[in-house]
């Protein structure tokens, strides 16, 4: 016999990937997104569901509004974070678009840029660009007029376009990543310089838990020299694989069966323009690549 709560669970399970996709894009944290989606499930159980005509719309609205609030407090916490804060990589091998209509606002470099938007602006952009919500529905979710939402999304598109180059396709990104990793492990300075854009940026997120550069490195020459300098020690005893994360490719280095760094890049016609070194073990604990 099917109970009302069983039906609630079915409705929730049907849209759960979308809810997680919204929360993750808003927060850049797998654990925080999981916790938020769990909060939505608790609220859904307790809610008078007889008043809800469209469960999927109600659940997406609840998720987005909670994520806007959570983003505001998360931003305050990140001001005291040790070194650069980076979003957590997420495995997208089974779900390349992470619950969305399109794989937008998922690439790690894009998530870093989205941090520069206000939480409401970020929500409007994500709902439109990744999930293809109509403007009137976004307006209802974020509690603004449709005209304001259109303006928010338009301004977000313009700002993000100004701050990033046209990325290469996924196959080319993997080739460049593989070449970078080979040169990094060998300490091949000349090849590293050749692969990196002149104005490339490198971020290392150790969270104050493991050793990592506490400032971003700027300039292909600088990044190449630093990367080549620790080639003799950093990779000792490690195994390297490649995994699909955030709709692209990342290099995953393990030692004694445990992941100790995930390296992601973004690249354009000018070469590799951004490198993200995720070293914080707390942000790697959820990853399991075979």
């Amino acid at each position: 016999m099917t109970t009302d709560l069983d039906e609630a669970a079915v409705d929730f399970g049907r849209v759960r990937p979308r809810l997680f996709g919204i929360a993750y894009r808003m927060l850049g944290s797998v654990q925080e997104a999981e916790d938020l989606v769990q909060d939505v499930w608790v609220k859904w159980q307790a809610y008078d569901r007889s008043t809800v005509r469209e469960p999927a719309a109600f659940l997406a609205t609840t998720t987005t509004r909670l994520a806007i609030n959570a983003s505001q407090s998360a931003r305050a916490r990140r001001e005291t974070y040790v070194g650069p804060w980076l979003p957590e990589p997420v495995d997208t091998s089974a779900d390349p678009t992470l619950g969305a209509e399109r794989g937008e606002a998922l690439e790690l470099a894009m998530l870093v840029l989205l941090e520069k938007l206000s939480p409401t602006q970020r929500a409007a952009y994500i709902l439109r660009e990744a999930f293809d919500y109509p403007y009137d529905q976004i307006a209802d979710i974020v509690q603004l007029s449709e005209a304001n939402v259109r303006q928010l999304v338009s301004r977000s598109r313009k700002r993000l376009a100004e701050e990033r180059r046209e990325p290469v396709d996924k196959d080319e990104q993997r080739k460049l990543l593989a070449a970078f990793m080979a040169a990094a492990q060998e300490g091949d300075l000349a090849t590293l310089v050749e692969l990196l854009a002149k104005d490339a940026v490198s971020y290392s997120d150790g969270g104050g838990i493991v050793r990592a550069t506490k400032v971003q490195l700027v300039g292909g020459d600088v990044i190449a020299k630093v990367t080549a300098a620790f080639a003799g020690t950093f990779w000792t005893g490690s195994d390297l694989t490649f995994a699909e994360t955030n709709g692209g490719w990342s290099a995953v280095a393990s030692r004694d069966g445990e992941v100790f760094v995930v390296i992601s890049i973004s690249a354009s016609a000018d070469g590799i323009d951004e490198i993200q070194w995720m070293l914080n073990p707390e942000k790697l604990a959820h990853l399991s690549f075979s």
Side-chain angles (χ1 to χ4, degrees):
M1 180 177 177
T2 302
T3 67
D4 180 56
L5 191 58
D6 289 334
E7 292 179 1
V10 170
D11 287 335
F12 183 83
R14 189 177 294 121
V15 296
R16 192 187 186 287
R18 169 166 291 205
L19 305 184
F20 178 81
I22 292 171
Y24 172 75
R25 285 171 170 84
M26 286 292 295
L27 301 173
S29 165
V30 173
Q31 188 56 58
E32 289 177 18
E34 292 282 9
D35 290 345
L36 190 146
V37 171
Q38 182 61 29
D39 287 345
V40 174
W41 166 237
V42 172
K43 290 180 182 295
W44 179 234
Q45 291 180 80
Y47 200 79
D48 182 2
R49 295 182 297 278
S50 66
T51 65
V52 179
R53 288 190 303 172
E54 298 181 18
F58 175 87
L59 291 166
T61 298
T62 303
T63 299
T64 304
R65 290 178 180 173
L66 286 176
I68 288 172
N69 292 336
S71 294
Q72 292 167 341
S73 58
R75 180 168 293 186
R77 291 196 305 274
R78 286 164 192 168
E79 289 177 357
T80 60
Y81 194 80
V82 178
W85 179 92
L86 292 174
E88 295 176 20
V90 63
D91 184 355
T92 52
S93 57
D95 182 7
T97 58
L98 201 66
E101 299 297 318
R102 299 189 291 268
E104 298 299 317
L106 185 55
E107 181 192 356
L108 289 167
M110 176 62 84
L111 290 176
V112 170
L113 289 179
L114 287 175
E115 284 287 310
K116 299 179 180 181
L117 304 180
S118 72
T120 300
Q121 189 175 12
R122 183 171 184 164
Y125 179 85
I126 288 168
L127 291 174
R128 181 62 184 174
E129 296 301 297
F131 295 90
D132 202 25
Y133 276 70
Y135 284 108
D136 60 343
Q137 191 172 350
I138 299 172
D140 180 62
I141 292 172
V142 301
Q143 299 176 298
L144 293 173
S145 71
E146 184 176 336
N148 281 345
V149 167
R150 288 180 180 274
Q151 191 174 55
L152 282 180
V153 174
S154 176
R155 287 177 176 174
S156 299
R157 285 183 184 139
K158 183 178 179 180
R159 181 172 182 181
L160 295 171
E162 288 173 348
E163 296 201 33
R164 73 193 305 253
R165 300 182 177 100
E166 183 66 28
V168 298
D169 63 33
K170 187 175 177 180
D171 289 340
E172 181 64 18
Q173 187 245 1
R174 173 161 183 166
K175 290 177 184 176
L176 288 169
L177 176 62
F180 175 82
M181 294 309 304
Q185 290 178 300
E186 295 167 7
D188 185 344
L189 181 60
T191 298
L192 288 169
V193 170
E194 184 179 342
L195 290 168
L196 292 161
K198 291 188 180 300
D199 58 353
V201 181
S202 177
Y203 303 93
S204 298
D205 184 339
I209 299 172
V210 297
R211 287 188 64 184
T213 306
K214 291 187 173 65
V215 296
Q216 68 184 46
L217 301 177
V218 180
D221 289 347
V222 172
I223 297 168
K225 289 175 183 176
V226 173
T227 303
F230 61 69
T233 56
F234 186 76
W235 307 105
T236 302
S238 67
D239 296 308
L240 187 71
T241 60
F242 293 90
E244 293 186 60
T245 64
N246 295 74
W249 289 99
S250 291
V252 181
S254 303
R255 189 178 288 118
D256 299 325
E258 290 190 10
V259 176
F260 70 92
V261 63
V262 173
I263 303 100
S264 307
I265 66 166
S266 63
S268 67
D270 295 326
I272 297 171
D273 46 40
E274 185 169 313
I275 309 167
Q276 297 182 343
W277 302 77
M278 178 52 68
L279 294 147
N280 186 338
E282 293 181 351
K283 293 185 178 184
L284 298 174
H286 68 281
L287 294 173
S288 177
F289 298 110
S290 55

